[in-house]
Amino acid sequence: MRQFEQAISGLAPKDLQKVLHGLLGTGGPRDPFERTPPPSRRRSRRGDVVTYQVRMDVTGASPPLWRRLELASNLFLDDLHEVIQAAFGWTDSHLHRFASGPDYYSDDTEYYLCPFEVEEGETGVPEEQVRLDEVLVDAGDVLLYTYDFGDNWQHTIKLEAVQPRTDATPRATCTAGRRPGPTEDCGGVDAYELIVAATDANHPRHAEGAAEFAHLFGEEVDPAGFELTAFDMDALNRELVDLGLDDGLDTELPGPLDDLVKRTRTTVGRRSLLRLIRDASLDTPVLIDAGTAARLVRPYTWLLERVGAGITLTSAGYLPPVHVEAAMAELGMADEWIGAFNRENQTVPVLHLRESAQKTGLLRKHRGTLLPTSRGWALRNDPVGLWWHLAERMPLRSTDACEVQAGLLLLLAVAANVEGPQATVAEMLNALGWMSSDGGEVTSAMAGQAAWDNETVLRRLGGFTGDGGVRRPTTPTAEGVLFARAALRTWPDSKP
């Protein structure tokens, strides 16, 4: 064993995998990292959604280690991965891979890859693109799954029966199973059997197992430290409910929302994003009356009227002090800022109001003069039209992709009436792969900064409670929820 350990200690993962294939007699492709893609084994998706009764077995366990589950046939494989993790008590700490073929290592087997393998350029299909009913169709069909390429936990998923389902049927539920789930990093199925024997005084090989365990790991190591996951069907089903496997995973989404879902790097992040989209209730009709619209868009109506035939800007391109002072006084924004309120570049509420009016196509600069656009001038007496115009241009245009995505996520969080939306925006930006300049996670403060321009438009339209000053908003208002839903329901070509 010492010589073997020395021989393999410096091997790269792919070379170690070849050695293991040779020792185990499992064959495998000549180079599993550069294999020729086999013909697709996927079939057409079902037109209806049914319930699949499947049995999942851990290969090599004796007596069998298994779980029987009932699954919605339109689950995607990244969701099935989470179900398997819960079913056997895994912690999702290692890579995994699904496969469809005569055996796991066959050249004819098609692989369905986890996100990391996709990024590494492995040969296969991203698992989030494959639905369960594409790889399991008739009773007797088998899908393969491997977790932790070191310990090599192989699972066989066999379709036992196809059953009808109703809207009330859970997306995933466990109906039976045997034996506790293995411990992470314990060494594979043989080590699992050894731990079971060494820790169960009633096991027929208990004495032999305890002695062998002490020989391998030392007398001082307690086998009970390798804690197994007891099979508790009720607890497992509660966990499956908590996964929140949504029917909406297969829904066609509008515009950039679909792109956001596809860009999300983790299953958990993708599900959180889809749940946020669901909670945003984008199918709810958006109705705004003239009186409410007039109250909400008053800052922009006032600015359009104030600009009128044009305002000559300062040499630096800002509004002259008289107009800054008038905006702060007449729009009631004095509580939002500090200072003399006479210089636009030092009076952020006015600066942002003017800049957002330009970004939304209401105002324009021409030869040092601020002018209404023809569209803006036409909308100054049409509050409902102006409200919808602003909604259609959210999130605001930006050359910074992170700012655009942060604005879109902010609209989703507000439409879903999430309190403290910056934390949700940060969570989703992290799931999309954004990070801080030092490589750390995006914080709520960073997310708030990225979404700032869009957030202040919402605040100007009465989208948040509180004074809206230097303190961050915490709770969306009913008007904010309505405006965010309107913005998310409209996707003209001008949107990013």
Side-chain angles (χ1 to χ4, degrees):
M1 286 296 296
R2 284 195 296 271
Q3 291 175 346
F4 178 70
E5 289 172 357
Q6 291 172 0
I8 69 172
S9 62
L11 293 181
K14 66 177 181 179
D15 296 323
L16 179 59
Q17 190 175 33
K18 292 178 182 178
V19 173
L20 292 174
H21 290 330
L23 290 173
L24 298 172
T26 54
R30 287 178 296 278
D31 186 342
F33 288 76
E34 297 179 2
R35 66 197 302 260
T36 300
S40 177
R41 305 182 69 88
R42 288 167 288 157
R43 288 161 282 183
S44 298
R45 297 176 180 178
R46 297 181 62 97
D48 58 339
V49 182
V50 296
T51 293
Y52 279 175
Q53 177 183 300
V54 303
R55 172 163 159 157
M56 301 177 179
D57 281 78
V58 174
T59 304
S62 180
L65 164 55
W66 59 276
R67 304 286 184 262
R68 178 170 286 119
L69 294 107
E70 294 183 352
L71 307 171
S73 61
N74 65 345
L75 286 178
F76 283 80
L77 295 192
D78 56 342
D79 303 303
L80 181 59
H81 160 66
E82 289 205 13
V83 172
I84 297 171
Q85 291 287 305
F88 291 99
W90 300 122
T91 61
D92 203 5
S93 303
H94 302 278
L95 300 180
H96 66 276
R97 181 191 289 176
F98 288 95
S100 178
D103 63 67
Y104 188 80
Y105 295 107
S106 170
D107 287 334
D108 295 325
T109 294
E110 184 176 42
Y111 292 141
Y112 312 118
L113 310 177
C114 66
F116 179 82
E117 288 198 301
V118 173
E119 290 182 2
E120 291 296 300
E122 304 296 349
T123 302
V125 182
E127 62 184 8
E128 67 271 15
Q129 297 179 9
V130 182
R131 241 173 52 166
L132 185 57
D133 57 3
E134 294 181 78
V135 289
L136 296 180
V137 177
D138 302 312
D141 287 350
V142 169
L143 178 66
L144 306 172
Y145 171 85
T146 296
Y147 171 65
D148 185 351
F149 299 157
D151 281 4
N152 196 35
W153 296 101
Q154 295 194 20
H155 304 64
T156 299
I157 305 163
K158 183 176 182 180
L159 178 57
E160 295 183 319
V162 178
Q163 304 166 345
R165 66 182 287 108
T166 67
D167 292 340
T169 305
R171 302 276 292 162
T173 186
C174 181
T175 59
R178 293 291 183 274
R179 307 191 69 191
T183 305
E184 292 278 354
D185 302 310
C186 70
V189 69
D190 290 336
Y192 166 74
E193 297 295 357
L194 177 60
I195 293 168
V196 170
T199 55
D200 183 359
N202 297 319
H203 196 283
R205 294 184 60 248
H206 174 64
E208 179 185 348
E212 185 177 352
F213 184 92
H215 173 72
L216 291 174
F217 296 97
E219 296 283 351
E220 70 281 1
V221 179
D222 184 358
F226 291 87
E227 186 177 354
L228 305 176
T229 304
F231 174 59
D232 182 335
M233 192 161 67
D234 291 337
L236 171 56
N237 281 326
R238 288 193 295 271
E239 186 174 353
L240 292 176
V241 170
D242 290 342
L243 288 179
L245 303 172
D246 297 318
D247 283 311
L249 297 182
D250 197 27
T251 301
E252 183 177 350
L253 298 171
L257 293 184
D258 185 59
D259 184 58
L260 276 187
V261 172
K262 290 177 179 177
R263 289 174 180 269
T264 305
R265 298 188 171 201
T266 65
T267 301
V268 173
R270 179 170 173 262
R271 180 164 295 112
S272 295
L273 178 55
L274 286 163
R275 193 176 299 121
L276 190 65
I277 293 172
R278 180 200 64 197
D279 292 344
S281 302
L282 300 185
D283 56 346
T284 302
V286 175
L287 303 174
I288 183 80
D289 62 85
T292 301
R295 173 171 56 84
L296 298 178
V297 301
R298 181 173 178 267
Y300 291 96
T301 302
W302 180 92
L303 183 59
L304 286 166
E305 293 285 0
R306 185 80 183 186
V307 171
I311 291 177
T312 301
L313 301 172
T314 66
S315 59
Y318 294 110
L319 284 172
V322 63
H323 300 294
V324 178
E325 293 169 348
M328 292 297 287
E330 295 180 32
L331 294 177
M333 298 190 295
D335 292 338
E336 298 182 21
W337 206 248
I338 57 175
F341 304 155
N342 59 356
R343 300 186 61 173
E344 188 189 25
N345 63 326
Q346 295 178 0
T347 311
V348 171
V350 178
L351 175 66
H352 186 270
L353 176 63
R354 191 259 303 164
E355 289 182 336
S356 64
Q358 288 179 239
K359 290 181 180 180
T360 55
L362 299 174
L363 298 176
R364 63 187 179 93
K365 285 184 179 181
H366 179 67
R367 295 182 179 180
T369 301
L370 186 64
L371 298 165
T373 64
S374 58
R375 179 66 173 161
W377 191 246
L379 289 171
R380 77 189 191 283
N381 294 320
D382 180 6
V384 172
L386 179 54
W387 188 87
W388 275 106
H389 174 90
L390 292 167
E392 288 172 356
R393 281 148 182 81
M394 296 285 283
L396 297 176
R397 290 185 179 185
S398 174
T399 57
D400 188 319
C402 183
E403 289 184 358
V404 173
Q405 292 182 2
L408 192 56
L409 291 167
L410 177 69
L411 290 170
L412 274 173
V414 172
N417 203 16
V418 174
E419 186 171 354
Q422 293 84 5
T424 297
V425 174
E427 176 191 349
M428 293 294 96
L429 287 176
N430 285 312
L432 286 163
W434 294 103
M435 60 184 66
S436 65
S437 58
D438 62 1
E441 288 194 344
V442 176
T443 65
S444 294
M446 295 174 189
Q449 184 63 34
W452 171 257
D453 285 348
N454 293 282
E455 182 182 303
T456 49
V457 171
L458 279 161
R459 183 187 301 120
R460 191 59 54 218
L461 296 171
F464 297 104
T465 58
D467 59 18
V470 293
R471 293 183 293 278
R472 313 301 289 165
T474 55
T475 304
T477 62
E479 291 85 355
V481 171
L482 190 68
F483 181 79
R485 286 177 179 164
L488 293 166
R489 285 167 57 95
T490 56
W491 300 104
D493 293 338
S494 61
K495 282 214 172 184

